[in-house]
Amino acid sequence: SQQGEEDPQALSIQEGENATMNCSYKTSINNLQWYRQNSGRGLVHLILIRSNEREKHSGRLRVTLDTSKKSSSLLITASRAADTASYFCATDRLTGGGNKLTFGTGTQLKVEL
Amino acid sequence: DGGITQSPKYLFRKEGQNVTLSCEQNLNHDAMYWYRQDPGQGLRLIYYSQIVNDFQKGDIAEGYSVSREKKESFPLTVTSAQKNPTAFYLCASSMLPGDGYTFGSGTRLTVV
């Protein structure tokens, strides 16, 4: 079953604008991660935020986590055409079989020149 | 350079045939994972292994099998029992459970 759900499913913006993607999840987590996937390629890890953290930055990326609302957001500032990709949130939780990372359905971002 | 290598990039399977997808990593990571991705969807976990000679079923293990005889290798066999195997298969690894994952470039399997 999908643990995370991203919103919106698709987003189209102009180069230079900011892009915000949201992720909601259902159960308690150890951490939440964001990944990028270019069409037909593997995923690239962008950033990890632990359950006791509220905000994290990495370059043009800003991630927030609200565990009381079970939600996270990814902000990409000053977007570029090269940011065009699908973005997935993934939640890490501890199960009887060890840590499991469960992915959401993704947001397709298109940055136009 | 360290990374994960998946092969082949494209694979065609006939009905009733077993096929094996290769996944090799030189990152010295203990944990390895197999995911399946269908068009326009997220990733679903097939199998994972947190240590050599041990592996666990994920959410959609039926029709698949794995082995973990070496730290570097985690091959996935798609058996004839998997009724809808056409998908994009992704292998990943992490140093420790709960860390960020490093992904391979994927194998696209098509049933012909």
Side-chain angles (χ1 to χ4, degrees), chain A residues 2-20:
Chain A
Q2 299 292 346
Q3 161 78 319
E5 295 290 336
E6 283 94 336
D7 171 60
Q9 289 188 338
L11 180 61
S12 182
I13 59 174
Q14 298 295 118
E15 197 171 49
E17 293 181 338
N18 295 342
T20 299

Side-chain angles (χ1 to χ4, degrees), chain A residues 1-2 31 33 35 37 40-43 45 48 88 92 95 97-105, chain B residues 35 37 40-45 48 50 56 58-59 88 90 97-101 103-105 108:
Chain A
S1 61
Q2 299 292 346
N31 65 61
Q33 304 176 26
Y35 289 80
Q37 184 182 34
R41 306 293 298 274
L43 278 71
H45 180 257
L48 181 155
F88 294 90
D92 176 73
T95 69
N99 290 72
K100 284 180 66 175
L101 193 65
T102 305
F103 287 80
T105 51
Chain B
Y35 285 87
Q37 185 178 32
Q41 297 190 30
L43 281 66
R44 291 183 290 168
L45 181 64
Y48 61 107
Q50 299 192 339
Q56 307 287 336
D59 300 317
F88 189 48
L90 288 158
D99 285 352
Y101 288 11
F103 278 85
S105 55
R108 191 166 298 279

Side-chain angles (χ1 to χ4, degrees), chain B residues 24-110:
Chain B
E24 303 276 335
Q25 54 101 357
N26 61 3
L27 299 164
N28 200 33
H29 285 175
D30 285 316
M32 297 187 75
Y33 314 85
W34 274 106
Y35 285 87
R36 169 183 171 138
Q37 185 178 32
D38 292 284
Q41 297 190 30
L43 281 66
R44 291 183 290 168
L45 181 64
I46 305 173
Y47 267 98
Y48 61 107
S49 168
Q50 299 192 339
I51 197 168
V52 175
N53 292 323
D54 186 52
F55 49 83
Q56 307 287 336
K57 291 183 179 180
D59 300 317
I60 55 164
E62 186 175 350
Y64 300 97
S65 66
V66 294
S67 63
R68 186 87 188 276
E69 297 175 2
K70 297 187 301 181
K71 187 175 186 177
E72 301 80 18
S73 178
F74 191 40
L76 173 74
T77 296
V78 184
T79 74
S80 57
Q82 172 48 240
K83 297 306 178 189
N84 185 22
T86 295
F88 189 48
Y89 290 87
L90 288 158
C91 179
S93 71
S94 66
M95 176 65 75
L96 295 171
D99 285 352
Y101 288 11
T102 301
F103 278 85
S105 55
T107 292
R108 191 166 298 279
L109 174 63
T110 304

